[in-house]
Structures are given as structure tokens and as C-alpha cells.
mmCIF file of all heavy atoms in Angstrom:
data_model
loop_
_atom_site.group_PDB
_atom_site.id
_atom_site.type_symbol
_atom_site.label_atom_id
_atom_site.label_comp_id
_atom_site.label_asym_id
_atom_site.label_seq_id
_atom_site.Cartn_x
_atom_site.Cartn_y
_atom_site.Cartn_z
ATOM 1 N N GLY A 18 0.783 -1.237 0.000
ATOM 2 C CA GLY A 18 0.000 0.000 0.000
ATOM 3 C C GLY A 18 0.810 1.280 0.000
ATOM 4 O O GLY A 18 0.234 2.383 -0.075
ATOM 5 N N LYS A 19 2.133 1.181 0.064
ATOM 6 C CA LYS A 19 2.973 2.373 0.194
ATOM 7 C C LYS A 19 3.020 3.219 -1.083
ATOM 8 O O LYS A 19 3.389 4.400 -1.027
ATOM 9 C CB LYS A 19 4.398 1.966 0.576
ATOM 10 C CG LYS A 19 4.537 1.289 1.930
ATOM 11 C CD LYS A 19 4.281 2.246 3.075
ATOM 12 C CE LYS A 19 4.573 1.585 4.414
ATOM 13 N NZ LYS A 19 4.278 2.481 5.561
ATOM 14 N N PHE A 20 2.668 2.626 -2.223
ATOM 15 C CA PHE A 20 2.797 3.352 -3.479
ATOM 16 C C PHE A 20 1.458 3.501 -4.195
ATOM 17 O O PHE A 20 1.414 3.748 -5.401
ATOM 18 C CB PHE A 20 3.818 2.660 -4.378
ATOM 19 C CG PHE A 20 5.192 2.601 -3.760
ATOM 20 C CD1 PHE A 20 5.648 1.434 -3.170
ATOM 21 C CD2 PHE A 20 5.998 3.723 -3.729
ATOM 22 C CE1 PHE A 20 6.898 1.375 -2.578
ATOM 23 C CE2 PHE A 20 7.240 3.686 -3.140
ATOM 24 C CZ PHE A 20 7.703 2.512 -2.556
ATOM 25 N N ASP A 21 0.383 3.393 -3.435
ATOM 26 C CA ASP A 21 -0.947 3.516 -4.031
ATOM 27 C C ASP A 21 -1.224 4.914 -4.580
ATOM 28 O O ASP A 21 -2.094 5.090 -5.438
ATOM 29 C CB ASP A 21 -2.025 3.144 -3.002
ATOM 30 C CG ASP A 21 -2.042 1.650 -2.696
ATOM 31 O OD1 ASP A 21 -1.332 0.887 -3.394
ATOM 32 O OD2 ASP A 21 -2.753 1.241 -1.759
ATOM 33 N N ASN A 22 -0.482 5.908 -4.109
ATOM 34 C CA ASN A 22 -0.676 7.278 -4.598
ATOM 35 C C ASN A 22 0.018 7.533 -5.929
ATOM 36 O O ASN A 22 -0.190 8.589 -6.545
ATOM 37 C CB ASN A 22 -0.201 8.292 -3.561
ATOM 38 C CG ASN A 22 -1.121 8.348 -2.357
ATOM 39 O OD1 ASN A 22 -2.292 7.978 -2.444
ATOM 40 N ND2 ASN A 22 -0.592 8.786 -1.230
ATOM 41 N N GLY A 23 0.878 6.595 -6.361
ATOM 42 C CA GLY A 23 1.399 6.666 -7.719
ATOM 43 C C GLY A 23 2.714 7.376 -7.910
ATOM 44 O O GLY A 23 3.265 8.003 -7.005
ATOM 45 N N TRP A 24 3.197 7.274 -9.146
ATOM 46 C CA TRP A 24 4.531 7.781 -9.457
ATOM 47 C C TRP A 24 4.610 9.294 -9.514
ATOM 48 O O TRP A 24 5.667 9.869 -9.207
ATOM 49 C CB TRP A 24 5.066 7.174 -10.742
ATOM 50 C CG TRP A 24 4.139 7.101 -11.923
ATOM 51 C CD1 TRP A 24 3.524 8.123 -12.581
ATOM 52 C CD2 TRP A 24 3.740 5.901 -12.591
ATOM 53 N NE1 TRP A 24 2.774 7.657 -13.623
ATOM 54 C CE2 TRP A 24 2.887 6.285 -13.668
ATOM 55 C CE3 TRP A 24 4.017 4.542 -12.427
ATOM 56 C CZ2 TRP A 24 2.312 5.368 -14.539
ATOM 57 C CZ3 TRP A 24 3.453 3.626 -13.293
ATOM 58 C CH2 TRP A 24 2.608 4.036 -14.333
ATOM 59 N N ASP A 25 3.544 9.978 -9.865
ATOM 60 C CA ASP A 25 3.607 11.449 -9.923
ATOM 61 C C ASP A 25 3.921 12.037 -8.552
ATOM 62 O O ASP A 25 4.723 12.965 -8.421
ATOM 63 C CB ASP A 25 2.290 12.020 -10.452
ATOM 64 C CG ASP A 25 2.007 11.585 -11.892
ATOM 65 O OD1 ASP A 25 2.959 11.566 -12.694
ATOM 66 O OD2 ASP A 25 0.856 11.237 -12.194
ATOM 67 N N GLU A 26 3.276 11.492 -7.534
ATOM 68 C CA GLU A 26 3.523 11.987 -6.178
ATOM 69 C C GLU A 26 4.932 11.637 -5.721
ATOM 70 O O GLU A 26 5.606 12.447 -5.066
ATOM 71 C CB GLU A 26 2.493 11.400 -5.209
ATOM 72 C CG GLU A 26 2.648 11.927 -3.797
ATOM 73 C CD GLU A 26 1.510 11.493 -2.889
ATOM 74 O OE1 GLU A 26 0.346 11.769 -3.230
ATOM 75 O OE2 GLU A 26 1.791 10.874 -1.842
ATOM 76 N N VAL A 27 5.405 10.427 -6.048
ATOM 77 C CA VAL A 27 6.755 10.016 -5.662
ATOM 78 C C VAL A 27 7.794 10.930 -6.310
ATOM 79 O O VAL A 27 8.756 11.365 -5.662
ATOM 80 C CB VAL A 27 7.000 8.542 -6.037
ATOM 81 C CG1 VAL A 27 8.485 8.186 -5.934
ATOM 82 C CG2 VAL A 27 6.182 7.620 -5.140
ATOM 83 N N ILE A 28 7.606 11.236 -7.594
ATOM 84 C CA ILE A 28 8.547 12.117 -8.291
ATOM 85 C C ILE A 28 8.595 13.487 -7.623
ATOM 86 O O ILE A 28 9.674 14.041 -7.361
ATOM 87 C CB ILE A 28 8.159 12.247 -9.779
ATOM 88 C CG1 ILE A 28 8.413 10.925 -10.506
ATOM 89 C CG2 ILE A 28 8.945 13.383 -10.448
ATOM 90 C CD1 ILE A 28 7.825 10.867 -11.912
ATOM 91 N N ALA A 29 7.435 14.047 -7.321
ATOM 92 C CA ALA A 29 7.382 15.375 -6.700
ATOM 93 C C ALA A 29 8.058 15.375 -5.332
ATOM 94 O O ALA A 29 8.808 16.303 -4.983
ATOM 95 C CB ALA A 29 5.931 15.835 -6.576
ATOM 96 N N THR A 30 7.808 14.315 -4.546
ATOM 97 C CA THR A 30 8.404 14.229 -3.206
ATOM 98 C C THR A 30 9.917 14.091 -3.287
ATOM 99 O O THR A 30 10.652 14.753 -2.533
ATOM 100 C CB THR A 30 7.801 13.031 -2.449
ATOM 101 O OG1 THR A 30 6.387 13.186 -2.348
ATOM 102 C CG2 THR A 30 8.396 12.905 -1.064
ATOM 103 N N ARG A 31 10.378 13.250 -4.188
ATOM 104 C CA ARG A 31 11.828 13.063 -4.319
ATOM 105 C C ARG A 31 12.508 14.337 -4.817
ATOM 106 O O ARG A 31 13.598 14.687 -4.349
ATOM 107 C CB ARG A 31 12.127 11.900 -5.264
ATOM 108 C CG ARG A 31 11.730 10.545 -4.696
ATOM 109 C CD ARG A 31 12.193 9.401 -5.585
ATOM 110 N NE ARG A 31 11.777 8.111 -5.055
ATOM 111 C CZ ARG A 31 12.165 6.932 -5.530
ATOM 112 N NH1 ARG A 31 12.998 6.883 -6.570
ATOM 113 N NH2 ARG A 31 11.742 5.798 -4.992
ATOM 114 N N PHE A 32 11.873 15.017 -5.743
ATOM 115 C CA PHE A 32 12.456 16.241 -6.295
ATOM 116 C C PHE A 32 12.590 17.301 -5.206
ATOM 117 O O PHE A 32 13.622 17.988 -5.105
ATOM 118 C CB PHE A 32 11.594 16.732 -7.453
ATOM 119 C CG PHE A 32 12.201 17.842 -8.255
ATOM 120 C CD1 PHE A 32 13.495 17.756 -8.729
ATOM 121 C CD2 PHE A 32 11.456 18.981 -8.551
ATOM 122 C CE1 PHE A 32 14.047 18.787 -9.491
ATOM 123 C CE2 PHE A 32 11.996 20.010 -9.304
ATOM 124 C CZ PHE A 32 13.293 19.909 -9.771
ATOM 125 N N ALA A 33 11.574 17.433 -4.377
ATOM 126 C CA ALA A 33 11.634 18.409 -3.280
ATOM 127 C C ALA A 33 12.742 18.053 -2.301
ATOM 128 O O ALA A 33 13.477 18.938 -1.817
ATOM 129 C CB ALA A 33 10.283 18.465 -2.568
ATOM 130 N N LYS A 34 12.902 16.756 -2.013
ATOM 131 C CA LYS A 34 13.955 16.338 -1.086
ATOM 132 C C LYS A 34 15.335 16.578 -1.693
ATOM 133 O O LYS A 34 16.270 16.980 -0.988
ATOM 134 C CB LYS A 34 13.774 14.866 -0.719
ATOM 135 C CG LYS A 34 14.754 14.395 0.350
ATOM 136 C CD LYS A 34 14.495 12.963 0.775
ATOM 137 C CE LYS A 34 15.515 12.514 1.815
ATOM 138 N NZ LYS A 34 15.319 11.086 2.194
ATOM 139 N N GLN A 35 15.471 16.337 -2.994
ATOM 140 C CA GLN A 35 16.762 16.584 -3.648
ATOM 141 C C GLN A 35 17.160 18.049 -3.541
ATOM 142 O O GLN A 35 18.343 18.370 -3.353
ATOM 143 C CB GLN A 35 16.699 16.144 -5.111
ATOM 144 C CG GLN A 35 16.671 14.631 -5.292
ATOM 145 C CD GLN A 35 16.363 14.203 -6.715
ATOM 146 O OE1 GLN A 35 15.835 14.985 -7.508
ATOM 147 N NE2 GLN A 35 16.697 12.965 -7.037
ATOM 148 N N LYS A 36 16.193 18.937 -3.640
ATOM 149 C CA LYS A 36 16.494 20.362 -3.463
ATOM 150 C C LYS A 36 16.952 20.640 -2.033
ATOM 151 O O LYS A 36 17.928 21.377 -1.815
ATOM 152 C CB LYS A 36 15.261 21.200 -3.793
ATOM 153 C CG LYS A 36 14.928 21.263 -5.274
ATOM 154 C CD LYS A 36 13.745 22.191 -5.543
ATOM 155 C CE LYS A 36 13.460 22.330 -7.032
ATOM 156 N NZ LYS A 36 12.350 23.264 -7.314
ATOM 157 N N SER A 37 16.276 20.050 -1.064
ATOM 158 C CA SER A 37 16.642 20.291 0.331
ATOM 159 C C SER A 37 18.006 19.708 0.673
ATOM 160 O O SER A 37 18.709 20.218 1.556
ATOM 161 C CB SER A 37 15.570 19.707 1.264
ATOM 162 O OG SER A 37 15.594 18.291 1.242
ATOM 163 N N LEU A 38 18.402 18.647 -0.037
ATOM 164 C CA LEU A 38 19.707 18.018 0.187
ATOM 165 C C LEU A 38 20.829 18.727 -0.563
ATOM 166 O O LEU A 38 22.005 18.384 -0.396
ATOM 167 C CB LEU A 38 19.662 16.553 -0.247
ATOM 168 C CG LEU A 38 18.787 15.609 0.584
ATOM 169 C CD1 LEU A 38 18.639 14.257 -0.114
ATOM 170 C CD2 LEU A 38 19.372 15.433 1.978
ATOM 171 N N GLY A 39 20.490 19.697 -1.402
ATOM 172 C CA GLY A 39 21.495 20.413 -2.165
ATOM 173 C C GLY A 39 22.015 19.655 -3.368
ATOM 174 O O GLY A 39 23.084 19.981 -3.910
ATOM 175 N N LEU A 40 21.246 18.674 -3.838
ATOM 176 C CA LEU A 40 21.670 17.882 -4.995
ATOM 177 C C LEU A 40 21.308 18.553 -6.307
ATOM 178 O O LEU A 40 21.992 18.372 -7.323
ATOM 179 C CB LEU A 40 21.045 16.486 -4.934
ATOM 180 C CG LEU A 40 21.522 15.593 -3.796
ATOM 181 C CD1 LEU A 40 20.631 14.363 -3.682
ATOM 182 C CD2 LEU A 40 22.973 15.174 -4.007
ATOM 183 N N VAL A 41 20.213 19.302 -6.320
ATOM 184 C CA VAL A 41 19.798 20.044 -7.506
ATOM 185 C C VAL A 41 19.537 21.492 -7.083
ATOM 186 O O VAL A 41 19.238 21.766 -5.918
ATOM 187 C CB VAL A 41 18.532 19.440 -8.164
ATOM 188 C CG1 VAL A 41 18.791 18.009 -8.607
ATOM 189 C CG2 VAL A 41 17.344 19.496 -7.226
ATOM 190 N N PRO A 42 19.635 22.439 -8.012
ATOM 191 C CA PRO A 42 19.407 23.854 -7.661
ATOM 192 C C PRO A 42 17.989 24.083 -7.138
ATOM 193 O O PRO A 42 17.037 23.408 -7.536
ATOM 194 C CB PRO A 42 19.625 24.587 -8.990
ATOM 195 C CG PRO A 42 20.469 23.667 -9.815
ATOM 196 C CD PRO A 42 20.054 22.278 -9.415
ATOM 197 N N SER A 43 17.862 25.039 -6.267
ATOM 198 C CA SER A 43 16.558 25.318 -5.653
ATOM 199 C C SER A 43 15.533 25.811 -6.667
ATOM 200 O O SER A 43 14.332 25.693 -6.436
ATOM 201 C CB SER A 43 16.719 26.366 -4.544
ATOM 202 O OG SER A 43 17.257 27.570 -5.079
ATOM 203 N N ASP A 44 15.996 26.367 -7.799
ATOM 204 C CA ASP A 44 15.067 26.865 -8.811
ATOM 205 C C ASP A 44 14.899 25.896 -9.984
ATOM 206 O O ASP A 44 14.337 26.254 -11.021
ATOM 207 C CB ASP A 44 15.520 28.232 -9.327
ATOM 208 C CG ASP A 44 16.896 28.187 -9.976
ATOM 209 O OD1 ASP A 44 17.589 27.151 -9.845
ATOM 210 O OD2 ASP A 44 17.288 29.180 -10.621
ATOM 211 N N ALA A 45 15.389 24.661 -9.826
ATOM 212 C CA ALA A 45 15.286 23.669 -10.912
ATOM 213 C C ALA A 45 13.826 23.308 -11.174
ATOM 214 O O ALA A 45 12.981 23.356 -10.271
ATOM 215 C CB ALA A 45 16.070 22.410 -10.554
ATOM 216 N N LYS A 46 13.517 22.970 -12.424
ATOM 217 C CA LYS A 46 12.181 22.545 -12.820
ATOM 218 C C LYS A 46 12.237 21.113 -13.328
ATOM 219 O O LYS A 46 13.197 20.720 -13.996
ATOM 220 C CB LYS A 46 11.627 23.449 -13.934
ATOM 221 C CG LYS A 46 11.632 24.938 -13.618
ATOM 222 C CD LYS A 46 10.668 25.293 -12.498
ATOM 223 C CE LYS A 46 10.645 26.806 -12.279
ATOM 224 N NZ LYS A 46 9.792 27.169 -11.108
ATOM 225 N N LEU A 47 11.197 20.350 -13.039
ATOM 226 C CA LEU A 47 11.123 18.987 -13.556
ATOM 227 C C LEU A 47 10.846 19.001 -15.055
ATOM 228 O O LEU A 47 10.059 19.823 -15.538
ATOM 229 C CB LEU A 47 10.013 18.206 -12.862
ATOM 230 C CG LEU A 47 10.328 17.593 -11.508
ATOM 231 C CD1 LEU A 47 9.055 17.045 -10.876
ATOM 232 C CD2 LEU A 47 11.369 16.484 -11.628
ATOM 233 N N PRO A 48 11.464 18.097 -15.804
ATOM 234 C CA PRO A 48 11.129 17.980 -17.223
ATOM 235 C C PRO A 48 9.747 17.355 -17.386
ATOM 236 O O PRO A 48 9.201 16.768 -16.444
ATOM 237 C CB PRO A 48 12.212 17.049 -17.769
ATOM 238 C CG PRO A 48 12.598 16.213 -16.590
ATOM 239 C CD PRO A 48 12.473 17.115 -15.387
ATOM 240 N N SER A 49 9.205 17.459 -18.577
ATOM 241 C CA SER A 49 7.905 16.847 -18.835
ATOM 242 C C SER A 49 8.029 15.332 -18.794
ATOM 243 O O SER A 49 9.101 14.771 -19.010
ATOM 244 C CB SER A 49 7.387 17.287 -20.199
ATOM 245 O OG SER A 49 8.300 16.919 -21.218
ATOM 246 N N ASN A 50 6.911 14.681 -18.525
ATOM 247 C CA ASN A 50 6.896 13.222 -18.477
ATOM 248 C C ASN A 50 7.217 12.623 -19.838
ATOM 249 O O ASN A 50 6.938 13.214 -20.879
ATOM 250 C CB ASN A 50 5.493 12.737 -18.067
ATOM 251 C CG ASN A 50 5.511 12.014 -16.744
ATOM 252 O OD1 ASN A 50 6.559 11.674 -16.223
ATOM 253 N ND2 ASN A 50 4.328 11.798 -16.196
ATOM 254 N N ASP A 51 7.778 11.424 -19.824
ATOM 255 C CA ASP A 51 7.904 10.653 -21.055
ATOM 256 C C ASP A 51 6.498 10.431 -21.622
ATOM 257 O O ASP A 51 5.562 10.114 -20.886
ATOM 258 C CB ASP A 51 8.577 9.316 -20.749
ATOM 259 C CG ASP A 51 8.844 8.502 -21.997
ATOM 260 O OD1 ASP A 51 7.884 7.922 -22.535
ATOM 261 O OD2 ASP A 51 10.005 8.435 -22.434
ATOM 262 N N GLY A 52 6.355 10.595 -22.928
ATOM 263 C CA GLY A 52 5.038 10.516 -23.545
ATOM 264 C C GLY A 52 4.335 9.191 -23.376
ATOM 265 O O GLY A 52 3.106 9.098 -23.464
ATOM 266 N N ARG A 53 5.094 8.135 -23.118
ATOM 267 C CA ARG A 53 4.502 6.799 -22.944
ATOM 268 C C ARG A 53 3.929 6.593 -21.550
ATOM 269 O O ARG A 53 3.205 5.625 -21.305
ATOM 270 C CB ARG A 53 5.549 5.726 -23.236
ATOM 271 C CG ARG A 53 6.025 5.689 -24.681
ATOM 272 C CD ARG A 53 7.275 4.831 -24.823
ATOM 273 N NE ARG A 53 8.429 5.444 -24.190
ATOM 274 C CZ ARG A 53 9.636 4.867 -24.115
ATOM 275 N NH1 ARG A 53 9.822 3.662 -24.640
ATOM 276 N NH2 ARG A 53 10.645 5.490 -23.535
ATOM 277 N N VAL A 54 4.261 7.486 -20.631
ATOM 278 C CA VAL A 54 3.835 7.329 -19.236
ATOM 279 C C VAL A 54 2.628 8.219 -18.969
ATOM 280 O O VAL A 54 2.691 9.440 -19.095
ATOM 281 C CB VAL A 54 4.984 7.697 -18.270
ATOM 282 C CG1 VAL A 54 4.504 7.569 -16.821
ATOM 283 C CG2 VAL A 54 6.194 6.811 -18.517
#
């Protein structure tokens, strides 16, 4: 049941954490999804 909310939410959560960890710039934007997804 841990992933019932889906990949969009996981991507957003991970991206926010990466910013807080200093791995990506604070003003970075996510690219668009792969068209097959």
C-alpha cells in the first residue's frame, strides 16, 4: 500500500527532497513526463 498514490507523487516528493539536500538547484524545474507514461 505504500505506493498507491502513484509515481507522480513520488517524483514530486523526491524532487523536493533533492532540493533540500542540495543535490539540484533550488530553482530547478522537472522535465515533462515521457510521452509513454
